Amino acid sequence: EEQLLESGGGLVQSGGSLRLSCEVSGFSFSSYAMSWVRQAPGKGLEWVSTITGYGGSTKYADSVKGRFTISRDNSRNTLYLQMNSLTPEDTAIYYCAKDAVVVVPWAGWFDPWGQGTLVSVSS
Amino acid sequence: DIQMTQSPSSLSASVGDRVTITCRASQSISTYLNWYQQKPGKAPNLLIFATSRLHSEVPSRFSGSGSGTDFTLIINSLQPEDFATYFCQQSSSTPYTFGQGTKVEMK
């Protein structure tokens, strides 16, 4: 069974930093592009970032470009999101998600998703 | 960026009803359109990818159609477990974008 488990969320002050982790199991991690998608409380879904299977290419939403960095450690089956210069607008549940199929560089549709980790940024 | 617009934002329906949700892209996305179901407090689940292909174990009462800019999700004979919020998402190009969601509530 494919499983994704996020951690690292919490309460942080505006301007602060957090690093999210997503530990996966049940599939060949390095074969799949991985993404972060966030959801502000009571709101819709916003794609944040994607990284290829071997980490050579990344993409970011304009809203986080220059502040967030996606990375992965295939030896640890773990995806990361380093978040700097956080603002209250970054408050959301952050989900990691696996590309549903193996496509180079990425497919862009997601299955499965982790259970999410809540990031709250206070002003 | 490609804007995705879903309608309606919410609807009330009864068990056994046929439900139709539409999704419109601001520019052509061919058939790079996916649908997700989300229940309260849970992560989204992939229902349909590439406009009309059902993800594994998704019941056949779900179907998708469309191409270009206009897409439809149909739920035939709504079941109790189908009350949820549905999101469309384009995977034609980054930034990947989602519709605002359609909440299917019990009448």
Side-chain angles (χ1 to χ4, degrees), chain B residues 51-67:
Chain B
T51 297
S52 59
R53 300 179 66 180
L54 261 61
H55 188 49
S56 59
E57 301 182 11
V58 172
S60 58
R61 62 180 178 273
F62 290 90
S63 64
S65 63
S67 69

Side-chain angles (χ1 to χ4, degrees), chain A residues 35 37 39 43-47 50 59-62 95 100-101 106-111 113-116, chain B residues 1 32 34 36 38 41-46 49-50 55-56 87 89-91 94-100:
Chain A
S35 298
V37 178
Q39 186 169 36
K43 302 297 185 181
L45 299 165
E46 180 187 16
W47 170 79
T50 294
K59 286 281 191 179
Y60 296 93
D62 284 347
Y95 297 101
V101 294
W106 35 61
W109 61 93
F110 312 121
D111 175 75
W113 300 50
Q115 87 291 344
Chain B
D1 297 2
Y32 291 100
N34 314 298
Y36 299 86
Q38 186 178 34
K42 300 293 187 181
N45 286 314
L46 179 66
F49 61 97
H55 188 49
S56 59
F87 294 93
Q89 176 237 342
Q90 65 83 15
S91 51
T94 58
Y96 300 129
T97 45
F98 293 84
Q100 80 280 15

Side-chain angles (χ1 to χ4, degrees), chain A residues 4 10 15 19 22 25 29 40-41 43 47-48 56 58-60 62 72 78 90-92 116-117 120 123:
Chain A
L4 294 76
R19 188 175 86 152
C22 172
S25 60
F29 183 56
K43 302 297 185 181
W47 170 79
V48 172
T58 58
K59 286 281 191 179
Y60 296 93
D62 284 347
R72 64 193 295 160
T78 304
D90 296 315
T91 294
T117 187
S120 297
S123 55

Side-chain angles (χ1 to χ4, degrees), chain A residues 53-89:
Chain A
Y54 284 95
S57 294
T58 58
K59 286 281 191 179
Y60 296 93
D62 284 347
S63 59
V64 307
K65 199 174 294 183
R67 300 188 299 124
F68 289 12
T69 302
I70 191 171
S71 63
R72 64 193 295 160
D73 184 339
N74 288 346
S75 68
R76 296 177 183 270
N77 282 357
T78 304
L79 175 73
Y80 301 101
L81 186 67
Q82 177 66 44
M83 305 187 295
N84 299 330
S85 302
L86 285 161
T87 74
E89 289 67 41

